[in-house]
């Protein structure tokens, strides 16, 4: 375990700085510091090596240049266990720095107090992130502290051994990259808004909003609207949902994908269909919920031709997503309808969702029926298993709690109706599915498949489904009362499949 012999300190927030430095000095650690940090340490009676002794230059450009130099970066980056790096460091007279204590200019605080443009720019830290990232990259040997609340844990390790554990250094490195990611995100958002690339408004007119485009991934954020008004915040949310649903269904069909149409309203698919022709797919998807389809977002896996454009001549939609549009089709579409060319290959990126004080990150939900099995006495007919798969895919893209009823005619599939966003599955069926079937005049659902996004916790959902006339159910299973649910399905003559995979969506 390498001892900490040299430390570089450069902080805006000097909370706990002197106490930390005294702990280091007590073990004969050389303190290297810049500007105000050096002055604070010297005032406390500590011996300090000025950073310019390493960099070869003092501060320049009104403080914009302090710690960035080949010598300092090399002191952090060269590998302590690599013979070639060690030899080169000796030739260059580079001595290792083992500890970096840096926090960043208060850019966030400057934004919060609504500082002027120039003040915000001057509070963009450059040297700090450079030092932190360099040290964090070499965390096998270098400890990096980017927040004062890390000092006490560091001191506990350091006072016992004069060093730190690999696990502590790795944790600190992770924290550095998290901090610099949020720091850069704030800067990117600030400059994006100032450069005129902000959206008109957010979810509501009083909210500011903008899009940050990930340069390492393709996708909707990079797609250009070929005509119509600018995309709004809500347009992007609904279009993203529509595109992901379309990509799911298109991929599920593999190499023999039929025309597929998705209709989304308020982040919920209200229409979904696979058919033998583009127009039939559109008609079936639109009729999934004709009231909600008005003003919706449409996603298609086929080119928009004159014939397809004509379908929308008497209908209002916000956005149409498709692989391509003919010039004449674009002329036929209403001028305020946004049209965007998109790809059909899904990207398995991580999902990011903000919460107060941070973000949640998770892998994209994936669809897999490899563990699908019938658990009831009554079995699914072979032609119903394909429909069961479509129904499971449809409910995967509905907001929890969710129930989907799906129907098949030959090679064609459609989302007949659905209930989503309820606090229990019984309400999904009784309050939403039942009334929507009545509105459509549908009385016989013995050939449809009912899909649930999560397990039925009690047998009451099976009873309610049976009251509708449902004979086929697909659900994840996994309840402690699965046996009771299966027994009730057997009693009522219902065939039921467990997939072993839940698809909550919040």
């Amino acid at each position: 375990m390498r001892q900490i012999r040299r430390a570089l300190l450069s902080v805006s927030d000097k909370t706990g700085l002197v106490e930390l430095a005294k702990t280091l000095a007590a073990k004969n650690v050389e303190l290297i510091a810049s500007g105000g940090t050096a002055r604070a340490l010297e005032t406390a009676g500590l011996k300090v090596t000025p950073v310019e002794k390493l960099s070869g230059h003092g501060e320049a450009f009104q403080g914009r240049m302090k710690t960035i130099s080949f010598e300092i970066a090399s002191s952090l980056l060269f590998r302590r266990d690599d013979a070639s790096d060690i030899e080169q460091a000796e030739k260059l007279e580079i001595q290792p720095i083992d500890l970096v204590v840096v926090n960043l200019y208060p850019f966030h605080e400057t934004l919060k107090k609504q500082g002027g443009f120039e003040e915000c720019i001057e509070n963009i830290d450059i040297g700090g992130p450079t030092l932190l990232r360099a040290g964090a990259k070499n965390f096998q040997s270098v400890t990096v502290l980017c927040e004062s609340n890390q000092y006490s844990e560091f001191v506990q390790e350091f006072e016992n051994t004069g060093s730190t554990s690999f696990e502590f250094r790795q944790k600190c490195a992770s924290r550095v990259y998290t901090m610099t990611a949020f720091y850069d995100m704030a800067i990117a958002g600030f400059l994006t808004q100032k450069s005129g690339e902000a959206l008109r408004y957010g979810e509501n007119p009083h909210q500011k909003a903008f899009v940050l485009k990930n340069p390492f991934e393709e996708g909707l954020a990079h797609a250009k609207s070929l005509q119509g008004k600018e995309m709004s915040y809500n347009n992007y949310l609904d279009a993203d949902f529509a595109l992901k649903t379309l990509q799911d269904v298109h991929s599920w069909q593999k190499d023999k994908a039929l025309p597929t149409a998705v209709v989304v309203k308020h982040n919920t698919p209200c229409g979904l269909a696979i058919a033998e022709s583009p127009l039939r797919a559109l008609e079936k998807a639109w009729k999934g919920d004709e009231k909600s389809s008005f003003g919706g977002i449409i996603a298609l896996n086929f080119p928009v031709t004159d014939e397809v454009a004509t379908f929308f001549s008497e209908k209002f939609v916000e956005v149409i997503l498709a692989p391509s549009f003919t010039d004449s089709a674009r002329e036929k579409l209403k001028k305020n309808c946004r049209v965007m060319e998109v790809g059909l290959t899904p990207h398995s990126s991580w999902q990011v969702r903000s919460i107060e004080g941070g973000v949640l990150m998770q892998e994209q939900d994936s669809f897999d029926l490899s563990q699908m099995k019938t658990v009831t006495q009554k079995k699914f007919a072979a032609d119903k298993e394909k429909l069961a798969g479509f129904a499971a895919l449809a409910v995967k893209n509905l907001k929890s709690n969710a129930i989907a009823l799906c129907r098949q005619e030959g090679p064609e599939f459609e989302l007949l109706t659905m209930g989503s966003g309820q606090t229990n599955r019984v309400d999904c069926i009784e309050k939403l599915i039942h009334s929507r079937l009545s509105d459509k005049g549908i009385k016989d659902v013995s050939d449809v498949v009912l899909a649930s996004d999560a397990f039925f916790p009690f047998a009451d959902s099976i009873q309610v489904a049976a009251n509708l006339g449902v004979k086929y159910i697909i659900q994840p299973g996994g309840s402690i009362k699965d046996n009771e649910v299966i027994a009730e399905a057997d009693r009522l003559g219902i065939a039921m499949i467990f997939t072993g995979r839940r698809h909550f969506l919040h």
Side-chain angles (χ1 to χ4, degrees):
M1 185 179 290
R2 180 179 170 80
Q3 299 296 293
I4 294 176
R5 296 189 176 91
R6 301 176 85 215
L8 173 60
L9 304 96
S10 179
V11 294
S12 295
D13 176 9
K14 294 177 176 54
T15 304
L17 170 67
V18 172
E19 293 81 0
L20 174 65
K22 286 181 177 179
T23 301
L24 295 170
K27 290 210 180 258
N28 299 315
V29 175
E30 180 185 356
L31 305 178
I32 305 161
S34 65
T37 304
R39 288 191 291 274
L41 296 180
E42 288 170 341
T43 300
L46 293 164
K47 182 180 178 182
V48 177
T49 300
V51 74
E52 51 264 32
K53 185 174 180 181
L54 277 70
S55 67
H57 299 280
E59 289 189 15
F61 314 117
Q62 301 176 57
R64 282 192 168 196
M65 276 293 289
K66 295 177 184 175
T67 56
I68 299 175
S69 76
F70 176 86
E71 290 77 12
I72 293 174
S74 298
S75 296
L76 296 171
L77 283 167
F78 86 85
R79 286 161 287 203
R80 317 303 202 248
D81 57 356
D82 184 286
S84 176
D85 278 17
I86 293 170
E87 181 182 358
Q88 195 165 21
E90 289 175 351
K91 287 181 179 178
L92 294 169
E93 298 183 347
I94 299 294
Q95 296 183 47
I97 293 175
D98 311 301
L99 171 67
V100 177
V101 182
V102 169
N103 52 54
L104 306 179
Y105 290 174
F107 181 79
H108 286 80
E109 287 72 13
T110 308
L111 287 182
K112 286 177 184 176
K113 72 176 186 180
Q114 298 182 326
F117 183 79
E118 289 302 325
E119 184 182 2
C120 289
I121 294 298
E122 290 309 314
N123 273 282
I124 296 175
D125 202 331
I126 303 301
T130 301
L131 296 174
L132 287 171
R133 289 172 63 87
K137 180 173 181 175
N138 203 16
F139 70 88
Q140 288 90 344
S141 302
V142 179
T143 305
V144 283
L145 304 178
C146 58
E147 295 181 87
S148 58
N149 58 20
Q150 295 173 289
Y151 297 171
S152 60
E153 186 177 357
F154 165 79
V155 167
Q156 287 177 6
E157 292 216 2
F158 175 73
E159 286 190 325
N160 291 331
T161 63
S163 185
T164 56
S165 65
F166 175 87
E167 291 75 18
F168 180 74
R169 293 194 300 276
Q170 187 173 41
K171 181 171 67 173
C172 290
S174 171
R175 197 154 169 180
V176 161
Y177 288 116
T178 300
M179 169 175 276
T180 56
F182 277 99
Y183 194 78
D184 287 343
M185 186 78 75
I187 296 167
F190 169 73
L191 290 175
T192 298
Q193 292 182 79
K194 294 298 182 181
S195 63
E197 294 183 40
L199 300 174
R200 286 181 295 153
Y201 52 80
E203 204 159 5
N204 298 291
H206 60 277
Q207 294 172 270
K208 294 179 181 179
F210 52 87
V211 178
L212 294 181
K213 299 175 183 179
N214 185 342
F216 305 106
E217 289 185 6
E218 299 177 354
L220 181 67
H222 297 276
K224 291 184 179 180
S225 183
L226 303 179
Q227 68 181 52
K229 295 185 291 184
E230 293 178 19
M231 289 283 285
S232 71
Y233 181 93
N234 292 331
N235 289 156
Y236 272 116
L237 284 181
D238 286 348
D240 185 61
F241 212 91
L243 179 58
K244 286 176 179 173
T245 303
L246 178 71
Q247 290 171 338
D248 264 356
V249 180
H250 184 80
S251 299
W252 174 72
Q253 298 178 76
K254 299 181 178 176
D255 296 335
K256 298 181 179 179
L258 292 174
T260 303
V262 179
V263 184
V264 165
K265 188 74 169 287
H266 292 309
N267 238 359
T268 299
C270 54
L272 171 61
I274 298 171
E276 291 188 288
S277 73
L279 276 183
R280 278 184 61 80
L282 262 174
E283 288 165 357
K284 284 177 174 289
W286 190 268
K287 289 179 180 177
D289 186 343
E290 289 193 71
K291 290 180 184 177
S292 300
S293 295
F294 177 85
I297 308 289
I298 312 296
L300 311 170
N301 72 340
F302 48 82
V304 174
T305 60
D306 285 17
E307 183 182 38
V308 173
T310 301
F311 175 85
F312 296 105
S313 60
E314 301 299 323
K315 298 175 175 65
F316 170 64
V317 295
E318 290 275 1
V319 183
I320 301 175
L321 310 173
S324 63
F325 297 79
T326 65
D327 291 341
S328 54
R330 285 172 55 186
E331 290 179 6
K332 283 191 174 185
L333 292 168
K334 293 177 181 177
K335 296 304 178 187
N336 62 348
C337 175
R338 305 161 184 87
V339 299
M340 303 181 83
E341 291 183 346
V342 293
L344 299 175
T345 302
H347 301 282
S348 57
S349 60
W350 285 68
Q351 291 178 304
V352 181
R353 188 175 233 178
S354 64
I355 58 173
E356 189 171 20
V359 298
L360 296 173
M361 296 187 69
Q362 68 169 356
E363 293 176 306
Q364 291 272 14
D365 189 11
S366 59
F367 189 66
D368 183 0
L369 294 178
S370 61
Q371 304 301 312
M372 184 172 79
K373 62 179 180 180
T374 303
V375 294
T376 49
Q377 294 171 8
K378 181 180 177 181
K379 306 303 178 186
F380 269 66
D383 63 334
K384 283 287 184 289
E385 287 193 358
K386 186 78 172 176
L387 175 58
F390 175 80
L393 188 57
V395 84
K396 168 186 177 288
N397 290 287
L398 296 175
K399 297 285 187 175
S400 300
N401 289 313
I403 297 290
L405 258 65
C406 295
R407 179 168 62 185
Q408 180 178 3
E409 293 180 85
E412 300 182 334
F413 300 85
E414 63 181 308
L415 174 62
L416 189 60
T417 190
M418 58 82 184
S420 69
Q422 302 301 299
T423 51
N424 66 76
R425 283 170 179 72
V426 171
D427 283 353
C428 284
I429 300 171
E430 285 190 328
K431 293 183 178 179
L432 297 178
I433 300 271
H434 185 272
S435 62
R436 287 169 178 172
L437 288 174
S438 297
D439 289 345
K440 291 185 171 188
I442 297 172
K443 297 180 179 179
D444 183 6
V445 292
S446 58
D447 280 338
V448 308
V449 171
L450 180 150
S452 174
D453 65 331
F455 62 67
F456 292 123
F458 305 105
D460 55 356
S461 296
I462 304 298
Q463 296 161 1
V464 172
N467 290 339
L468 283 181
V470 169
K471 297 296 182 184
Y472 299 93
I473 292 175
I474 184 168
Q475 59 133 319
S479 167
I480 59 173
K481 296 196 175 183
D482 274 348
N483 289 338
E484 293 179 23
V485 172
I486 293 169
E488 187 65 10
D490 284 338
R491 187 182 74 81
L492 296 169
I494 292 174
M496 186 161 61
I497 286 175
F498 281 2
T499 65
R501 178 165 292 212
R502 191 181 74 184
H503 290 294
F504 270 164
L505 183 61
H506 296 97

